[in-house]
Structures are given as C-alpha cells and as structure tokens.
DNA sequence: GCAAACATGTTCATTTTTTCACAACTCATT
DNA sequence: AATGAGTTGTGAAAAAATGAACATGTTTGC
C-alpha cells in the first residue's frame, strides 16, 4: 500500500462500516466477508476492500475479516482508538443537550469544558462542567489539553466563537450553527446540519413525483 | 438543459448555497456572482454554475444572480418551497429536543405527530403534540398527510420503527439512530450521525500529525 | 497432499464528477 | 452606436471514484 490522498467519501464509509461491525460484534459474529458487510452497508464489496486497502491489509484471503480486529483497525485509521478532548461553546438548548449526552466516550470523545459569553450562564454547572467565559479559553485549552472545539452558538455568534477557538490554537472545529465560518487554512471545519439530509429526501420525493407525473402525461 | 441524473454532492452543495444566500439576503445584498458565492462557500465558481445549471438558468450574464430569486429557485429545486409534514418516532431525549425545536418551519418542515411505544409516554403532551401509540400510525399518517418519518428511537428499536413507517406507506425516513435499517427499494433513508463529522476531523488531525512526524524524521 | 471453494488485495476499464476555457450575453460609458 | 469590462452557461478536458475481473492466498474435504 502506497500513501495517497484518501477520498472524503472513504472516511464517511469507514464510519458506517464501523457502526455495522459494532453491531455484528454485539451479535458475537466473529468473521465477516466484504460481501456480507457490503450488503449490510448497502455498498459494493470492492468498494469496501478498496477503502480498507488505503490503510493496510486487514483481511485474510479465503476467510474474510475478523470483526473485532477490523473494528480496532478502522478505529486506528480514523484516529478514534483513543479519547479526544473537546470543548463546547454556546450553552443554549443544543449545547445543553450535548453536554448531557452520555454517548461521547463510546465513540471516542469527551467534552471537558463549556463556554458561553452570557454572564447569567457563566458559573452555572451542567453535567458536572462549570460554564466559563470565552475570554478564559486560551488558558483552559492549554491546561486541559483540548483538541477539538464544538460550536453550538446562535448563527450570529458562531464566527466570534470560531475566532476564540483559533486564538486558542485549536485546529479542529465542529460547527453546529447555521453560519459559514472563516478560519485560517490550517484549521479544519466540519459543518453539521440535519436539514441537509431532509433536503436530500425532499429532493428525491420531488423528482420521483415529477417522474410519475411525466410518465402519466405521456400515456 | 436536459434532464440527467443529479449528483448527491450537488444537492448537498445546494443546501450550503442556500444557507449562504439567506445570509446575504439578510445583509440586503441583492446580487451575487458565482465567484463571490464560491468564495463564501469555499467551492469552485464553475461548480456553482454547473450545479445550478442542472435545474435551469437562474443567472444573468454580465450581472450575476439575484439573491432573492436564486433562493427561491434553489428551494423549488430542492422541493422546500413548501412545508413538509413529518412524524417523529421515539420520544427520548433527542426526540423531545427535536419536538421542542422551533426552527423547523423556517427550513420547510413541521413535526405534526409523535409516536412512542412506551405506555408511560403515550398520552403525554410535548410541544403541543400528544404522544401516540405506533399501532395507530397508519391511520394518522393518512389523516394527517404525513410524508416523512423521523426515527429517534434507541438503536435496537429503530428497525421496528422503520417497519411501522413502511407499513404506513411512508417512503422517506430520516434516521437519527445508530442502526442501519432495512426497507423496500422504493423507500429513501437518510442517516444522521454527527460523530461521522468528528471522525472526519480526527482523521485529518491524525494524518497531519503523521505527516509532521514523517517530515521531522527525514530531516 | 491435492483439488475445490472461498475471499482478499489490486489492477484496469468505466463511469462520474470536477475544473477549465470560451462563446454568448449584459451593462455602463463614451 | 460602439467599446470594454464583467459574468453566465456549457462543451471539452482532466481528475477522481467506482466496479469488474483476476491473481494470490486460505481453508476444507477427501
């Protein structure tokens, strides 16, 4: 395997494989073929083999993939074979929900600090974390070894939150707000918005409705 | 423009364009060029022009795109120039948060029914909706003209929820649970999991760390 | 020990997506 | 009216992703 650029789509699929493999593991299934895994993930078997080949040779010819080992290999490939320490900025409804969410550690993450610029929220304790002023972010990021920032502010506060994060030397941002944010080149930003998925659905509904209409008109 | 298959990536980008355009509209900017929009969305200008060309000719040569008109055109293209009626299944933490979330109408959606199989939850009223038993789903879907189902159950209940939806003649499912669900071919499913985005970040962090290490070793 | 069945890793052809480059068109200015 | 600067829509080229095919390796059964 030679080092090469890895498609973003591959990373997304790896996340899916991981989820399906965890389910297989829970069912105490020990070995899986690319074909069986492909059926479960609704992709092409070669696709899976190729995706995995970017990172190494994890399977056994004539046998398949050992589920537990493959899970571990994918976690290493994605970088989630350890716990990443994150900070959350913006303690509104969404922020509070995330702070109270128990599922982070299982997926390789931990929220270790919460920030909000609202003086009424600063000092409040949520899920064991004291809400802090963003002005104190830089020192906290350093002291607490925070590597990822999660923005859950309202749209109009997102850029300021991003600025605080960048000034605190964080290069990785997960942005739940509706704002596009501008950061230096070396900073990675991922945008989360479940409406995008709803749009994908309405688009399909729409076009399939149009198709039905058109074939109806022709007859 | 001839009718052709439209890439999924195009749909996702349209959603981004829409968000940026709404922001421009709020700033009362009336006209935008593909180049300016491209900068804001961090994509290639021709990409934008081509994405839009799938659906029609929305711009004016020598001028650019009229923001308000383009917003409307994209909404029509995505099918969100109206309100879609959705039902939510699974009234846990996430389900409750979504039911209480005020932002649906602005994005073209409305949650008009909530289901849960827990007898202690049935009858409870959340955000003005009475939680109902999934066994009553089919009649409700018909009566209330529900077109999209949103699954917010625990992982092990997701498939059953999907079955209820399919039996109720719903062809569109947004699945927030961690389970892959199996449905007939004519049913569309979209999966929402923000950890996938975190994985994309840790992957990049990991590889850029490796690269730094490797170039350090060489010197 | 050998053959048959199985399944991976990888190459190669195909398909899809992105980017480039430019003709076509608009508008402001002279 | 003509010129020039600006911008779209689109065909062609380039790049990237996908899928099929097969050589390579493993296991089972006889």
């Amino acid at each position: 395997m030679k080092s090469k650029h890895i498609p973003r789509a591959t990373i997304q699929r790896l996340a899916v494989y991981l989820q399906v493999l965890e389910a297989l593991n829970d069912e105490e299934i020990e070995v899986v073929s690319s074909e069986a895994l492909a059926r479960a993930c609704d992709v092409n078997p070669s696709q899976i083999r190729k995706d995995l080949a970017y990172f190494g040779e994890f399977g056994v010819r004539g046998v398949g993939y050992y589920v537990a080992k493959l899970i571990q290999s994918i976690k290493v490939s994605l970088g989630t074979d350890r716990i990443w320490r994150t900070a959350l900025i913006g303690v509104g409804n969404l922020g509070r929900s995330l702070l109270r969410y128990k599922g982070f550690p299982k997926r390789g993450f931990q929220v270790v600090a919460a920030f909000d610029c609202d003086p009424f929220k600063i000092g409040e304790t949520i899920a064991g974390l004291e809400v802090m002023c963003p002005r104190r972010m830089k020192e906290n990021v350093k002291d607490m070894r925070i590597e990822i920032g999660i923005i859950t502010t309202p749209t109009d506060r997102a850029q300021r939150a991003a600025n605080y994060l960048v000034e605190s030397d964080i290069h990785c941002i997960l942005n739940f707000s509706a704002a596009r944010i501008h950061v230096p080149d070396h900073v990675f930003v991922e945008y989360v918005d479940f409406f995008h998925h709803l749009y994908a659905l309405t688009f399909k509904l729409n076009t399939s409705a149009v198709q039905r209409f058109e074939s109806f008109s022709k007859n």
Side-chain angles (χ1 to χ4, degrees), chain A residues 5-190:
Chain A
H5 172 251
I6 291 162
R8 198 209 144 78
T10 291
I11 302 305
Q12 301 214 42
R13 281 192 298 267
L14 284 180
V16 173
Y17 305 157
L18 192 54
Q19 220 154 38
V20 171
L21 287 165
E22 301 269 18
L24 293 175
N25 202 39
D26 290 346
E27 296 172 51
E28 305 196 7
I29 292 168
E30 294 187 350
V31 179
V32 70
S33 69
S34 60
E35 201 185 319
L37 186 57
R39 254 196 312 278
C41 301
D42 208 25
V43 296
N44 184 295
S46 327
Q47 182 82 83
I48 293 185
R49 299 202 294 275
K50 176 152 293 189
D51 285 339
L52 296 175
Y54 282 116
F55 298 95
E57 304 195 2
F58 303 136
V60 183
R61 293 174 187 207
V63 180
Y65 300 91
Y66 291 99
V67 173
K69 275 176 81 175
L70 186 53
I71 288 173
Q72 183 57 19
S73 302
I74 292 180
K75 282 186 176 172
V76 171
S77 305
L78 291 176
T80 53
D81 54 328
R82 64 163 178 110
I83 300 286
W84 294 82
R85 300 165 65 84
T86 74
L88 185 145
I89 307 169
V91 183
N93 286 328
L94 176 60
R96 277 168 209 273
S97 297
L98 286 177
L99 286 173
R100 295 201 179 104
Y101 179 58
K102 303 286 198 306
F104 279 100
K106 199 169 48 190
R107 311 293 290 274
F109 299 88
Q110 198 180 354
V111 184
V112 298
F115 298 93
D116 200 300
C117 61
D118 180 346
F120 290 100
K121 290 178 182 162
I122 292 171
E124 186 185 348
T125 297
I126 302 167
L129 292 181
E130 187 187 334
V131 178
M132 295 183 291
C133 175
R135 268 190 275 276
R136 289 174 49 199
M137 197 184 292
K138 188 162 187 172
E139 45 179 318
N140 277 290
V141 163
K142 204 176 166 215
D143 293 351
M144 307 182 80
R145 304 191 315 284
I146 292 165
E147 292 156 299
I148 297 174
I150 301 177
I151 296 178
T152 49
T153 62
T155 308
D156 55 325
R157 295 285 164 78
Q159 183 61 55
R160 202 189 310 177
N163 294 346
Y164 274 122
L165 287 169
V166 171
E167 281 165 27
S168 307
D169 292 323
I170 287 201
H171 334 247
C172 268
I173 297 177
L174 186 70
N175 180 13
F176 280 90
S177 88
R180 301 302 287 184
I181 58 180
H182 299 280
V183 295
D185 276 349
H186 68 278
V187 179
F188 307 129
V189 182
E190 283 283 321

